[in-house]
Amino acid sequence: MASPEIDALTQALSRLPGLGPRSARRAVLHLLKKREGALGPLLAALTAVEARLTDCHLCGNVDTTDPCAICVDPRRDPRALCVVEEVADLWALDRSRLFPGRFHVLGGRLSALEGVRPEDLSIDALVRRIESGSIDEVVLAMNATLEGQTTAHYIAERIERFPVRVTQLAHGLPVGGELDYLDEGTLAQALRARRPVM
């Protein structure tokens, strides 16, 4: 039997995405076994982040500074804006180092079933950023779900009056994917988005 404190730590870790009760127990045992090398640094890092964590008022990213490191990076193209649903999407795209511009986090996607309306997302803030006239291209990087595509369509309609180029991430065949394993929706999208070979 573990002490109440250790049990509370295990329960807290088990609530993290990707960690169930067994994985959380293994993580706690590792932390306890490597107390000086793992537990102390983890505690210090969590405390530092908790003390400084903030939302970027410009893009909605989560960072320890406001504006965030991405928004103040002079190497980024301020005229290109990539719109994503969540901070996790921003981090995934930024990790690829393929998009040279800045980002805008909506904070979710439109969903009638979940009761998420346009005013629940940061769409008005996005429109204000585009209205300022400093944006040339808006990349709609919504997830390839019905709600994601509905959100992208709604945003495209809201910003069509501005002189900006609106693009969307391509959808279709994954690299290394085999046709016989793909669903009909993915195949249909790949066929619609086909392009010349040369």
Side-chain angles (χ1 to χ4, degrees), residues 91-161:
W91 289 4
L93 284 167
D94 190 50
R95 233 182 0 259
S96 74
R97 300 189 186 280
L98 296 173
F99 182 70
R102 298 198 174 142
F103 293 91
H104 185 88
V105 180
L106 295 174
R109 61 183 173 242
L110 298 175
S111 173
L113 289 174
E114 296 172 12
V116 181
R117 302 161 303 167
E119 53 269 21
D120 298 324
L121 305 176
S122 66
I123 295 173
D124 288 339
L126 170 65
V127 171
R128 284 192 298 275
R129 286 180 82 175
I130 295 167
E131 210 168 28
S132 72
S134 61
I135 309 289
D136 289 335
E137 180 183 11
V138 175
V139 180
L140 300 176
M142 315 294 89
N143 289 313
T145 62
L146 178 62
E147 293 89 355
Q149 295 312 298
T150 300
T151 306
H153 182 71
Y154 177 82
I155 292 171
E157 284 184 344
R158 284 279 308 267
I159 63 176
E160 68 183 352
R161 61 190 164 107

Side-chain angles (χ1 to χ4, degrees), residues 3-138:
S3 70
E5 294 83 5
I6 293 173
D7 192 41
L9 176 60
T10 305
Q11 288 179 22
L13 288 177
S14 72
R15 288 192 288 272
L16 294 174
L19 285 181
R22 292 181 72 199
S23 298
R25 275 194 299 277
R26 282 196 299 272
V28 167
L29 286 172
H30 174 77
L31 290 170
L32 296 177
K33 188 175 182 182
K34 307 282 185 183
R35 200 170 309 162
E36 282 79 30
L39 188 59
L42 176 63
L43 181 60
L46 287 171
T47 303
V49 167
E50 182 192 28
R52 300 187 60 201
L53 194 63
T54 186
D55 293 330
C56 177
H57 76 279
L58 293 174
C59 73
N61 188 17
V62 177
D63 204 344
T64 54
T65 60
D66 182 21
C68 71
I70 292 174
C71 286
V72 298
D73 187 345
R75 297 168 297 180
R76 293 200 174 261
D77 181 1
R79 304 196 71 75
L81 188 65
C82 183
V83 182
V84 296
E85 293 177 18
E86 301 286 353
V87 171
D89 303 325
L90 182 157
W91 289 4
L93 284 167
D94 190 50
R95 233 182 0 259
S96 74
R97 300 189 186 280
L98 296 173
F99 182 70
R102 298 198 174 142
F103 293 91
H104 185 88
V105 180
L106 295 174
R109 61 183 173 242
L110 298 175
S111 173
L113 289 174
E114 296 172 12
V116 181
R117 302 161 303 167
E119 53 269 21
D120 298 324
L121 305 176
S122 66
I123 295 173
D124 288 339
L126 170 65
V127 171
R128 284 192 298 275
R129 286 180 82 175
I130 295 167
E131 210 168 28
S132 72
S134 61
I135 309 289
D136 289 335
E137 180 183 11
V138 175

